[in-house]
Amino acid sequence: MKLLTTFTATTALCAAGSMAGAQDMVDDMTLVSWGGAYQNSQIEAYAKPYMEMNPEVSITWDESSNEAVAKLRAMNEAGNITWDLVDVVAADALRLCDEGLAMEVDHDELLAPAPDGTDASDDFGDLIVSDCFIPQIVYSITFGYRSDMVPEGVDAPDDICDVFDLETYPGKRSLETRPINNMEWALICDGVPKDEVYDVLATEEGQDQALAKLDTIKDDVIWWSAGADTPQLLADGEVFMGSTYNGRLFSAIEEQDQPIEMMWDAQVFDLDGWIIPTGLSDERLARVQDFVRFATDTQRLADQAAYISYGPARESSAPLVGEHAELGIEMAPHMPTAPENSENVFVFNYGFWADYRDDIDAKFQSWLAQ
């Protein structure tokens, strides 16, 4: 995966202004994100600088990204789109694009080129997984564990299948209340080769096999829906290990000094980025385009990495990643894409989940309720 900043801010804004033409722009925007440390990194890296350069603008944040697909469907049916820009994972972007709820964009026209003039589409490369998707960061879902709860005489967990080993590593686990990642890890730990996981998961038998493996630890699982849940459960000692976003674990370990360690094995790379809802007025769209061009330039995406350990989606941003804004530690080694962290990754299949998400979701939720 590429670790993926710029024209000067003035150049970027001028280019965006040229793109918007003579259209008037609204001064209020509602941006949708995930809350927590990630949303704060967006606020610090590009929302605040944008508002400083555009003092007439105000930004309201809605922390509903985990419900973005359902809520945008409802808004579309009601004919009332209240969101201006939505942060989503790549699989949800594919679904929203397929359903006509996200606007297709010309990445080279909308987004700033790299500082050396490289077109945005080349700078983002393969991370542009949809015509509607504007990549921001590479992150991963991985596990953290309480280092002070490792049983005496036992090595610290370093294999994804240690999650399913309650005998060697007793204690509660925390897993997300959705099938994504859980089903893949379950199949891997039930003997399915990585390169066959999605072929197996596409079948009813494969889905049942994954749920049967999850059944072996179900009674010892605390289910989470918000990214902050696992770090809090770990901090409180309520679970021995749990899955969450790598940036959340970084915050708990480095910023809060919790006795937590990362387990990078079979971390699942994923992408996060913006979609622009369809149905915006010309005035609202002009403001959104202006903001997006600024917020996704080379420097802004590198700046975001000073607040959270997610790799910027532009290749040109990687050399500009420096120290944490407050801790003063180098951030590059904490990225999920760092060589020492990415020796055994599991590559997420966006197309698979765009096609199968609704059906497997229903089956997974039914299993959870049993």
Side-chain angles (χ1 to χ4, degrees), residues 157-199:
D158 61 0
D159 187 294
I160 187 61
C161 298
D162 292 339
V163 174
F164 295 88
D165 186 354
L166 292 170
E167 182 176 350
T168 306
Y169 301 101
K172 296 287 187 180
R173 277 73 166 133
S174 58
L175 297 175
E176 190 174 5
T177 52
R178 66 174 188 166
I180 293 175
N181 302 325
N182 292 325
M183 304 286 270
E184 290 96 323
W185 287 324
L187 289 178
I188 290 170
C189 294
D190 205 44
V192 177
K194 281 185 178 181
D195 60 356
E196 297 178 18
V197 163
Y198 286 110
D199 290 335

Side-chain angles (χ1 to χ4, degrees), residues 40-49 294 299-301 303-305 307:
N40 183 65
S41 73
Q42 296 174 307
I43 292 171
E44 295 294 335
Y46 37 82
K48 282 185 178 180
F294 173 81
Q299 188 62 56
R300 246 47 62 182
L301 293 186
D303 289 347
Q304 187 175 1
Y307 298 94

Side-chain angles (χ1 to χ4, degrees), residues 15 84 102 114-115 143 259 319 353:
D84 295 290
F143 280 83
W353 282 110

Side-chain angles (χ1 to χ4, degrees), residues 330-345:
E330 289 294 332
M331 292 298 288
H334 297 279
M335 299 296 168
T337 45
E340 62 272 23
N341 300 334
S342 56
E343 293 177 354
N344 190 31
V345 302

Side-chain angles (χ1 to χ4, degrees), residues 25-146:
M25 300 184 195
V26 298
D27 294 333
D28 302 318
M29 287 189 295
T30 297
L31 308 187
V32 184
S33 191
W34 301 88
Y38 175 61
Q39 184 172 302
N40 183 65
S41 73
Q42 296 174 307
I43 292 171
E44 295 294 335
Y46 37 82
K48 282 185 178 180
Y50 184 80
M51 288 190 289
E52 287 173 3
M53 302 178 72
N54 299 271
E56 75 282 5
V57 171
S58 64
I59 294 176
T60 299
W61 291 87
D62 184 320
E63 300 177 7
S64 299
S65 282
N66 62 324
E67 304 174 275
V69 174
K71 288 196 171 186
L72 280 171
R73 285 171 177 167
M75 289 181 192
N76 185 66
E77 289 177 5
N80 182 28
I81 309 299
T82 60
W83 292 346
D84 295 290
L85 191 63
V86 187
D87 186 298
V88 294
V89 295
D92 283 349
L94 267 68
R95 288 203 292 169
L96 291 167
C97 200
D98 288 345
E99 295 179 26
L101 301 176
M103 190 180 80
E104 293 188 7
V105 300
D106 182 327
H107 292 82
D108 290 333
E109 180 180 337
L110 175 62
L111 308 178
D116 65 359
T118 299
D119 287 341
S121 59
D122 291 329
D123 204 17
F124 285 104
D126 293 341
L127 301 190
I128 299 177
V129 296
S130 164
D131 290 339
C132 302
F133 185 60
I134 305 165
Q136 291 180 82
I137 52 99
V138 179
Y139 72 96
S140 75
I141 301 288
T142 190
F143 280 83
Y145 64 90
R146 282 285 298 233

